[in-house]
Amino acid sequence: MCANFKPLTLQQLHDLNLPEIPFEYPEEVYPNYQLPLLFKSEFGLEWRSVNFGLIPKWAEDKTIGTRTYNARNETLLQKPSFAEATAKCKFGVIPVTEFYESKYFDNKPQRWGVRRKDGKAFYIAALYEIARVQDEIVRSSTMITMDAIDHPMMKDFHEPGNIKRSVIVIPHQRMDEWLNLKSPNIQSFVEGFPVEEFECSHVPKEVIKKISPQMNFFE
């Protein structure tokens, strides 16, 4: 599953000839952070600032977003959190620079980043929703995932075992088709990304040192 990623940069936005994003967003996203989602309305491509973690219309608060940031494509229509949005074909994409997964060495996880070799942003399949939660209008989304046990790159991530998942990457040339989808059947898009176009490497989290003023008094 993907719980952490970097959204596209301004340069990547221009390289893809996408509309300007009319709001700020964090350089790195975790569950219940805001992120830029691209979808298609009657007016064309539009951006929305949405919560990372889908908030269904029946939710009493936004805490559910810490458990709904990924959605298995196999059960989209069965899971109460995702069924309504799927039936209404609320599909979008989350353009990202890099996403992070855990790779285990001696049963200890390391943070690895997955990115395109050419440095371009890529589109992750997303499902989105809009709900009223405690008198607040909340827009939210989830990344759609697939089985990755046979994927040459993604099978090496996550805890040891036979459960491996991957985000679904929408090819650039099929983005318009995905955003115009009028059926909840997304099987033609459920395929592993071409490993020859991607690379991965160890990306440790930056450690922010807490420095006591007293310790630096004489420096």
Side-chain angles (χ1 to χ4, degrees):
M1 64 175 62
C2 177
N4 177 210
F5 67 94
K6 283 188 176 181
L8 82 170
T9 65
L10 183 61
Q11 183 59 55
Q12 290 172 327
L13 177 84
H14 293 158
D15 290 344
L16 292 172
N17 294 315
L18 294 174
E20 295 294 327
I21 301 177
F23 50 82
E24 295 184 350
Y25 54 91
E27 292 184 3
E28 200 164 316
V29 174
Y30 293 87
N32 275 352
Y33 279 39
Q34 293 296 114
L35 64 90
L37 174 100
L38 187 64
F39 74 107
K40 198 165 189 179
S41 73
E42 58 183 307
F43 305 107
L45 292 177
E46 292 192 36
W47 292 101
R48 287 290 185 274
S49 178
V50 300
N51 187 75
F52 185 34
L54 192 141
I55 313 298
K57 291 183 177 180
W58 47 262
E60 296 182 355
D61 56 48
K62 293 188 287 187
T63 58
I64 192 174
T66 60
R67 306 188 301 277
T68 57
Y69 51 86
N70 286 173
R72 291 173 175 250
N73 81 88
E74 300 93 335
T75 56
L76 285 175
L77 286 169
Q78 284 76 51
K79 294 293 184 180
S81 296
F82 310 124
E84 182 175 345
T86 303
K88 292 182 178 179
C89 301
K90 293 184 176 180
F91 300 121
V93 293
I94 300 172
V96 308
T97 298
E98 179 175 66
F99 68 89
Y100 303 102
E101 298 285 5
S102 293
K103 182 177 282 194
Y104 282 74
F105 296 89
D106 297 325
N107 291 319
K108 295 180 180 179
Q110 284 188 0
R111 181 180 186 245
W112 280 54
V114 179
R115 69 197 77 82
R116 285 188 59 89
K117 290 179 179 178
D118 59 13
K120 292 181 180 179
F122 53 99
Y123 303 124
I124 292 180
L127 184 71
Y128 67 89
E129 184 59 282
I130 179 170
R132 182 180 292 275
V133 181
Q134 298 178 348
D135 294 326
E136 177 188 0
I137 299 299
V138 178
R139 293 178 172 85
S140 60
S141 69
T142 183
M143 290 180 170
I144 304 175
T145 69
M146 59 174 286
D147 178 50
I149 194 68
D150 295 320
H151 190 272
M153 183 182 294
M154 297 304 296
K155 66 181 177 62
D156 294 330
F157 292 110
H158 308 125
E159 295 182 8
N162 59 2
I163 298 178
K164 307 291 182 178
R165 305 295 298 180
S166 172
V167 294
I168 295 175
V169 175
I170 302 298
H172 287 193
Q173 66 272 19
R174 296 192 70 190
M175 185 185 73
D176 195 60
E177 180 186 355
W178 169 257
L179 296 181
N180 283 298
L181 198 61
K182 302 302 181 186
S183 167
N185 183 351
I186 66 169
Q187 287 309 299
S188 68
F189 293 93
V190 180
E191 55 183 2
F193 58 79
V195 68
E196 66 274 8
E197 297 179 11
F198 285 75
E199 63 184 10
C200 62
S201 64
H202 183 208
V203 184
K205 282 188 178 181
E206 293 185 12
V207 178
I208 301 175
K209 295 182 179 180
K210 294 183 178 180
I211 302 175
S212 168
Q214 288 81 5
M215 291 178 64
N216 292 275
F217 186 80
F218 296 105
E219 292 184 4

